[in-house]
Amino acid sequence: MAKVLVVTSGKGGVGKTTSTAALGAALAQAGQSVVVIDFDVGLRNLDLVMGAERRVVFDLINVVQGVAKLSQALIRDKRLENLWLIPASQTRDKDALTDEGVRRVINELKTKFDWILCDSPAGIERGATLAMRYADEAVIVTNPEVSSVRDSDRIIGMLDSKTAKAERGERVEKHLLVTRYDASRASRGEMLSIDDILEILATPLLGIIPESQDVLRASNVGCPVTLNNTTSAPSRAYMDAVRRLMGETVPMTVPVERKGLMNRLLRRRAA
Amino acid sequence: MMNLLRFIGGRSGSAPVARERLQILLAHERGVGGSGAPELLELLRSEILAVVSRHVDLDPEKVVVKMDRGKFVSMLEVDIEVPNALQRSKMVAAT
């Protein structure tokens, strides 16, 4: 049974696209067949983060409008044969996405894939509501920062009211993914702690992705972080999150960077 | 050791790759969202592909689109690989 998962947040810049790429790749690495869809019409970036920007010919809007067949818009990942991408359109016409068109595309994808990951645009406008519209589950990406938590709360409210599932009286299963987390700053009280965030949002925790240079490095070279460096702290955190998504019980930890001797010495001196 | 080398060697990281990828991408995209003539190129690109795909089962891997913008003329280069036997009969049937 295919699962439709929306990656959303309300606020921009918290790591939706990075997380979509990382979770999608990690699911594919675990043997699932996965398609990631960019819903950010006009400002697509999932193709760039996945390193497929030069292979885009047709996009989601072409398929919705019937210009291209679904198979023509699907771009297969160069590294993982069971990972696919549908890019967003780069034109500014956001109204080209229709509820009916999105429903049709997602239903067709459901017959072909185990997981359909929808990368939502920021905001609460049409693109964001369409991205979550047919979701079974949602990953809410949150930074430990007041404005992000507030926007997540808003998005959680929308997931409970504006999705097709909610309208049928069912519930979209929600998961909280905290990204850019810095354990030492949180312990010093400079950053909201995980407990603070969980208490405010009252949503089950899917994972804690530590702040890490590996994330930027991966997007620089156009490779999902879970593929670029499988042993880095954020990779391990995303892989744990994916195991939880697949129903496993995995103890919640904040993976830390494995520091070299030099770094450890420097840190000790700094502290 | 790696950390130490990186520490001494300065920043040789992934940024140059990012820079190059962006330069290629933006050279292609710049003006797509802007006004006037550049938008025409993007319109031509999408309509040409739409027309061709009506008759030929386009494989996205076999389509290369290049856009060059000069001061006085711009060039749109659409390179489409069309499979022979099977697809051609489909084309004849369509016309």
Side-chain angles (χ1 to χ4, degrees):
Chain A
M1 185 61 191
K3 274 191 180 163
V4 183
L5 179 88
V6 61
V7 180
T8 184
S9 71
K11 192 175 186 303
V14 296
K16 282 181 298 296
T17 301
T18 304
S19 295
T20 305
L23 294 172
L27 279 165
Q29 283 165 293
Q32 307 280 298
S33 68
V34 184
V35 59
V36 292
I37 314 177
D38 192 346
F39 272 83
D40 204 346
V41 173
L43 289 171
R44 74 167 172 229
N45 272 322
L46 188 55
D47 56 331
L48 190 56
V49 170
M50 304 221 359
E53 71 276 9
R54 296 174 71 186
R55 298 163 64 209
V56 173
V57 176
F58 294 112
D59 56 52
L60 180 61
I61 287 193
N62 293 145
V63 179
V64 164
Q65 293 183 333
V67 171
K69 283 183 290 187
L70 187 57
S71 58
Q72 293 176 309
L74 280 165
I75 303 173
R76 181 181 238 152
D77 188 86
K78 283 198 163 152
R79 298 144 298 213
L80 290 172
E81 63 166 18
N82 49 342
L83 177 61
W84 299 75
L85 160 75
I86 299 184
S89 160
Q90 198 63 326
T91 58
R92 290 166 297 173
D93 189 9
K94 282 187 192 164
D95 296 330
L97 268 192
T98 61
D99 189 320
E100 172 53 30
V102 170
R103 192 180 66 84
R104 194 166 43 81
V105 169
I106 286 186
N107 279 340
E108 199 178 335
L109 289 170
K110 274 183 172 179
T111 65
K112 297 182 167 76
F113 294 94
D114 300 323
W115 290 87
I116 299 154
L117 268 59
C118 305
D119 182 21
S120 174
I124 51 170
E125 306 296 317
R126 188 183 174 84
T129 53
L130 280 176
M132 67 167 68
R133 181 78 189 145
Y134 296 100
D136 302 307
E137 301 189 23
V139 168
I140 300 125
V141 182
T142 305
N143 288 168
E145 186 263 326
V146 286
S147 61
S148 174
V149 173
R150 179 205 204 173
D151 291 358
S152 292
D153 188 65
R154 186 86 188 273
I155 282 291
I156 288 168
M158 289 174 62
L159 286 163
D160 288 336
S161 63
K162 301 226 165 162
T163 52
K165 247 190 158 178
E167 285 173 6
R168 291 197 301 268
E170 299 167 43
R171 287 184 78 84
V172 172
E173 198 180 325
K174 299 182 292 285
H175 313 271
L176 197 66
L177 185 69
V178 178
T179 56
R180 311 201 68 166
Y181 188 72
D182 185 331
S184 60
R185 294 192 70 188
S187 71
R188 288 199 299 269
E190 297 169 8
M191 188 182 252
L192 285 171
S193 73
I194 297 295
D195 287 341
D196 294 337
I197 300 169
L198 290 180
E199 191 190 321
I200 295 164
L201 295 177
T203 299
L205 185 62
L206 179 69
I208 305 164
I209 314 299
E211 172 83 69
S212 166
Q213 298 181 350
D214 285 289
V215 174
L216 179 61
R217 205 174 293 139
S219 77
N220 275 348
V221 298
C223 183
V225 68
T226 49
L227 267 176
N228 196 46
N229 181 355
T230 49
T231 57
S232 68
S235 291
R236 285 179 285 140
Y238 277 118
M239 283 170 177
D240 280 355
V242 153
R243 285 166 65 195
R244 292 183 195 105
L245 273 181
M246 294 195 296
E248 271 182 64
T249 309
V250 184
M252 190 67 68
T253 54
V254 187
V256 288
E257 307 275 352
R258 288 181 182 140
K259 301 269 187 217
L261 178 66
M262 197 66 188
N263 276 351
R264 239 181 284 165
L265 286 173
L266 284 172
R267 171 161 287 213
R268 191 167 302 162
R269 209 187 305 156
Chain B
M1 199 58 195
M2 274 299 285
N3 278 327
L4 183 63
L5 283 177
R6 202 174 293 155
F7 189 76
I8 295 166
R11 319 197 176 278
S12 62
S14 53
V17 184
R19 203 177 81 119
E20 196 191 320
R21 292 176 63 220
L22 274 175
Q23 279 172 336
I24 294 169
L25 181 67
L26 293 185
H28 174 86
E29 276 183 355
R30 217 157 252 165
V32 167
S35 56
E39 208 161 61
L40 175 68
L41 279 190
E42 177 58 26
L43 185 69
L44 288 174
R45 185 199 79 97
S46 66
E47 293 203 357
I48 288 170
L49 289 178
V51 167
V52 175
S53 68
R54 219 180 289 153
H55 302 287
V56 183
D57 208 354
L58 275 192
D59 179 352
E61 299 282 327
K62 307 275 167 62
V63 178
V64 181
V65 182
K66 281 187 206 154
M67 286 192 254
D68 278 321
R69 291 175 221 286
K71 205 169 177 186
F72 301 106
V73 267
S74 295
M75 192 165 70
L76 173 68
E77 203 179 312
V78 184
D79 193 341
I80 302 172
E81 204 175 293
V82 181
N84 282 337
L86 256 174
Q87 293 304 329
R88 193 168 308 151
S89 63
K90 199 168 151 194
M91 275 182 83
V92 172
T95 45

